[in-house]
Amino acid sequence: MKSLTGLALLLALAMALTLLVGVQDASLGDLWRAVFAFDPADPAQVVIRSVRLPRLVAGLIAGAGLGMAGTIMQAVTRNPLADPGLLGVNAGAAFAVVVGALISGYSDSGMIAALTFPGAALASAAVFLLGGARGGTAGPVRLTLAGVALNALLLSLISAIILSRSEVLEVFRFWVTGSLAQAHSRPLAMMAGTLLLGSVIALVAAPRIEALALGTALARGLGTRPGRVQLAALAAITLMTGSAVAVAGPIAFLGLIVPPLARRMARHVLRRELILSALLGAAIILLADTLGRLIVAPAEIRVGIMTALIGAPAFILIARRLTPGATA
Amino acid sequence: MKGWLVLISLLAGALLLSLMIGQVLMTPAMLWTGLWSGTGPGALTLRVLRGPSTLTAAGAGAVLGASGTVFQILLRNPLAAPDVMGFMSGAGLAVVAGVAFGVLLPLPLLAAAGGLLAALVVTLLSVRPNGAQSTFTLILVGIGVSFFAAAASSFLVTRMPPQEAADAQRWLVGSLSARSWQHAAQVWGIGSLLFLVLAVQVRAMALLELGDDLAAGLGVRINRARTGLICTGVLLAAAGVAVAGPVPFVALMAGPLGMRIAGVTQPGARLTAAAITGALVTVLADVVSRSLVPGLQLPVGVMTGLMGAPYLLWLLMKEAEAGEL
């Protein structure tokens, strides 16, 4: 309970910073008026309403989605280095959108954004196969390098497509960079809905995923059907990652650093861990985004770069603790 | 012997293709006349348009291939390569940082410093809290370091002016466009020097491959030999990065591929085969990336990515059967 309150407070602080801090500073009064007594003539209120509120919502969706997706992935693959970004699920979602945007000629409609879901589904299915979700587990080196390969393959394909059609560089800028800056032109409401659906599936399936982690035979004995549980996990990861990529583009490392922190606070109960992951993921992405807007103001550093700068050292820390053969 | 012939004729064919294919198709006859008369379209192609970049591609591929094999032999693991373990991203980061902060050092020096620093960081960080060290941790920590170097490079690129940023972004993927004789001379000059050093070290390498105890018994100073080989390997990779950017997967692929085509097992022969195969792979990737879309040059790194990623996946599938990873 204590950790839940603490995280909720942290998230509230991150939300306030997102709304109030920036090139155009705003006060709590401005925020109040922007929401309840909007005056289009006041620049502070306009910035809050048209730029920072969408940014906040996109951050909440992407942060919660990637945090929870990472938690589910680590639970299913029993691998502390699993992350939707590092394992290529984000790249799969982005790839599908780029192809869709190229074929249709649009770059910012809700229909195109929805293509993240089939893309994420295919990539996570590939990860499950490579990660040996059926039968034994894959070691961290194999899973991580499989992700490196999948990412390299998809990003090379994206680059080849993009660079050969110069008019679509905008498509690339819009979909293949992890950033909250274009949040106002993303289908936020729709993606909030799909994220919610994914979280419900994850929360319902959580106890069975934990049973599965004990081993397939034992899980069967406890009355779970491994195939169905894995399908549910796949659906949850797809919905959560797809929503995140649709609002913020591919952002790596969030799903890596959130779960171990949440796990400790949740005392290894997956359902609790999921809820804490959502709060923590959203708080971290909003804080990283605010930091990225401040350090080089008036320019900004994309949030995907910020999470990578924080996440890569965390990756090394986690990797150092692993031993060959162990599946932690 | 037959294997070597196959390998060398493949490389010769790739070099010829690279000179022939481009905006305008050059027949071998035109190139031949250009070479001897020094005038005409053939001469222009050889001297300015495709000659230097083809030679640069071959040189960069050769040093990268040899570099990958140094680590693969030293660590007895096909996954150990300077691109996987972050040395090339480290070299790339140093070059980008040098450009961003206006450091007036030649690119090869910057790349070498970055590569060596990355190797040092990876080695130090992969000593586990309990003091043990393993290839397993080395590779994972190396991947982490390459993630960090890539992120830091992107960070620096976003701070550059737009045109410079676009160039840097392209270079970071691995690019061979608009290479001059200077680049070719640089990579071949530094490369030959490092190959000479490697030739001296190859005996120690062969002994190290037999196991540390046996090598020590035969008079090899283990730590010194190993450190020397790591430095040569990193410098080879840096020489490639300095002219072509951190081209992915060439260093990883060239060794095993060359070993198979040439049918060799001895370290010296493996290194030679890897250098030739690295040149072959890079020149071919460059040809394809230039001719895939008419009128447009894709960065060569996109092509090696498309070739190397499936190879890595296949290697992981195969390794999984052997267990341990």
Side-chain angles (χ1 to χ4, degrees):
Chain A
M1 236 10 248
K2 226 163 59 187
S3 47
L4 189 65
T5 328
L7 280 186
L9 282 176
L10 181 70
L11 180 57
L13 174 73
M15 289 168 70
L17 284 174
T18 302
L19 288 174
L20 301 179
V21 178
V23 177
Q24 166 84 53
D25 271 327
S27 67
L28 279 173
D30 291 330
L31 175 57
W32 178 266
R33 283 190 293 279
V35 176
F36 296 105
F38 183 51
D39 171 14
D42 181 353
Q45 291 184 40
V46 173
V47 165
I48 289 180
R49 227 185 148 110
S50 62
V51 179
R52 292 198 193 144
L53 265 180
R55 200 168 180 132
L56 172 76
V57 176
L60 290 175
I61 294 174
L66 291 172
M68 287 192 287
T71 299
I72 294 283
M73 269 185 141
Q74 296 194 1
V76 174
T77 60
R78 276 164 271 174
N79 195 317
L81 294 176
D83 163 74
L86 299 185
L87 294 188
V89 180
N90 283 348
F95 177 69
V97 171
V98 166
V99 171
L102 278 185
I103 293 172
S104 69
Y106 301 110
S107 75
D108 52 359
S109 76
M111 285 309 289
I112 298 291
L115 284 173
T116 51
F117 298 112
L122 282 179
S124 20
V127 169
F128 271 41
L129 285 178
L130 290 163
R134 309 172 65 82
T137 49
V141 170
R142 186 175 161 223
L143 197 66
T144 310
L145 277 175
V148 169
L150 200 57
N151 266 322
L153 188 65
L154 290 167
L155 289 179
S156 297
L157 279 173
I158 292 176
S159 312
I161 296 171
I162 295 286
L163 290 171
S164 59
R165 300 262 308 264
S166 53
E167 77 273 16
V168 291
L169 199 65
E170 279 310 303
V171 175
F172 185 81
R173 291 245 171 90
F174 196 77
W175 289 110
V176 196
T177 53
S179 161
L180 298 178
Q182 294 127 339
H184 49 275
S185 49
R186 305 285 183 141
L188 293 176
M190 181 172 130
M191 293 306 151
T194 48
L195 173 65
L196 198 66
L197 184 63
S199 337
V200 170
I201 296 176
L203 287 169
V204 170
R208 296 195 179 85
I209 293 175
E210 282 173 304
L212 202 62
L214 300 171
T216 318
L218 198 52
R220 274 215 181 83
L222 290 169
T224 49
R225 281 187 260 175
R228 283 174 76 173
V229 178
Q230 278 170 0
L231 204 63
L234 192 78
I237 292 172
T238 299
L239 285 167
M240 297 189 291
T241 312
S243 314
V245 176
V247 298
I251 294 173
F253 290 105
L254 206 58
L256 177 86
I257 50 180
V258 167
L261 299 171
R263 198 172 307 141
R264 210 161 294 173
M265 289 187 261
R267 288 184 224 93
H268 299 269
V269 179
L270 189 56
R271 220 172 243 176
R272 229 183 294 161
E273 195 185 324
L274 276 167
I275 295 169
L276 296 181
S277 300
L279 294 176
L280 190 59
I284 292 180
I285 201 174
L286 290 177
L287 290 174
D289 182 50
T290 307
L291 194 64
R293 284 189 293 142
L294 288 182
I295 47 178
V296 293
E300 60 178 71
I301 301 294
R302 299 193 300 270
V303 69
I305 294 178
M306 296 302 296
T307 56
L309 285 173
I310 305 164
F315 178 97
I316 296 172
L317 266 181
I318 299 169
R320 271 163 57 82
R321 296 207 187 136
L322 300 177
T323 44
T327 45
Chain B
M1 210 46 228
K2 214 179 98 192
W4 288 112
L5 276 180
V6 172
L7 204 51
I8 289 169
S9 25
L10 280 177
L11 177 62
L15 287 171
L16 185 63
L17 266 185
S18 171
L19 291 172
M20 283 166 58
I21 293 177
Q23 296 254 16
V24 183
L25 189 77
M26 290 282 142
T27 61
M30 289 160 88
L31 292 170
W32 186 255
T33 337
L35 181 62
W36 294 113
S37 68
T39 53
L44 184 71
T45 303
L46 283 179
R47 205 182 302 150
V48 183
L49 298 176
R50 295 173 207 159
S53 47
T54 301
L55 264 187
T56 311
V63 288
L64 289 178
S67 165
T69 305
V70 168
F71 294 106
Q72 283 164 343
I73 293 177
L74 214 54
L75 296 169
R76 299 189 194 93
N77 193 317
L79 292 172
D83 37 4
V84 172
M85 293 198 295
F87 308 157
M88 284 172 66
S89 338
L93 171 61
V95 171
V96 171
V99 172
F101 297 123
V103 180
L104 295 171
L105 282 176
L107 290 195
L109 270 185
L110 282 173
L116 288 174
L117 187 66
L120 186 69
V121 169
V122 171
T123 316
L124 289 179
L125 284 180
S126 63
V127 180
R128 274 208 299 274
N130 60 12
Q133 195 174 22
S134 67
T135 310
F136 168 91
T137 317
L138 208 59
I139 292 178
L140 273 183
V141 169
I143 297 172
V145 167
S146 87
F147 286 149
F148 184 80
S153 300
S154 314
F155 176 85
L156 290 174
V157 166
T158 53
R159 306 278 299 114
M160 291 177 180
Q163 186 51 47
E164 211 172 301
D167 290 346
Q169 194 64 56
R170 197 181 169 86
W171 183 83
L172 278 170
V173 179
S175 166
L176 283 164
S177 62
R179 299 291 90 176
S180 64
W181 285 112
Q182 211 184 336
H183 295 111
Q186 179 193 315
V187 70
W188 281 97
I190 300 174
S192 331
L193 206 67
L194 289 169
F195 274 117
L196 283 180
V197 176
L198 206 53
V200 177
Q201 291 173 318
V202 102
R203 198 188 79 95
M205 186 184 234
L207 293 174
L208 279 177
E209 215 193 1
L210 299 174
D212 288 359
D213 294 340
L214 198 53
L218 289 167
V220 178
R221 281 195 248 168
I222 306 272
N223 282 333
R224 233 179 85 177
R226 186 165 285 150
T227 312
L229 278 164
I230 290 175
C231 286
T232 316
V234 172
L235 290 176
L236 279 165
V241 173
V243 294
V247 195
F249 296 125
V250 173
L252 178 79
M253 278 190 293
L257 203 60
M259 196 167 124
R260 203 156 291 195
I261 300 176
V264 289
T265 50
Q266 292 302 313
R270 274 177 73 178
L271 285 167
T272 317
I276 300 175
T277 314
L280 169 68
V281 167
T282 312
V283 171
L284 274 185
D286 184 42
V287 172
V288 177
S289 61
R290 273 188 288 144
S291 53
L292 199 61
V293 189
L296 187 114
Q297 190 164 19
L298 292 176
V300 67
V302 168
M303 243 18 255
T304 60
L306 288 177
M307 290 152 72
Y311 165 75
L312 179 53
L313 285 174
W314 172 81
L315 185 64
L316 292 168
M317 295 291 206
K318 213 183 59 160
E319 286 285 298
E321 287 158 23
E324 118 154 83
L325 290 175

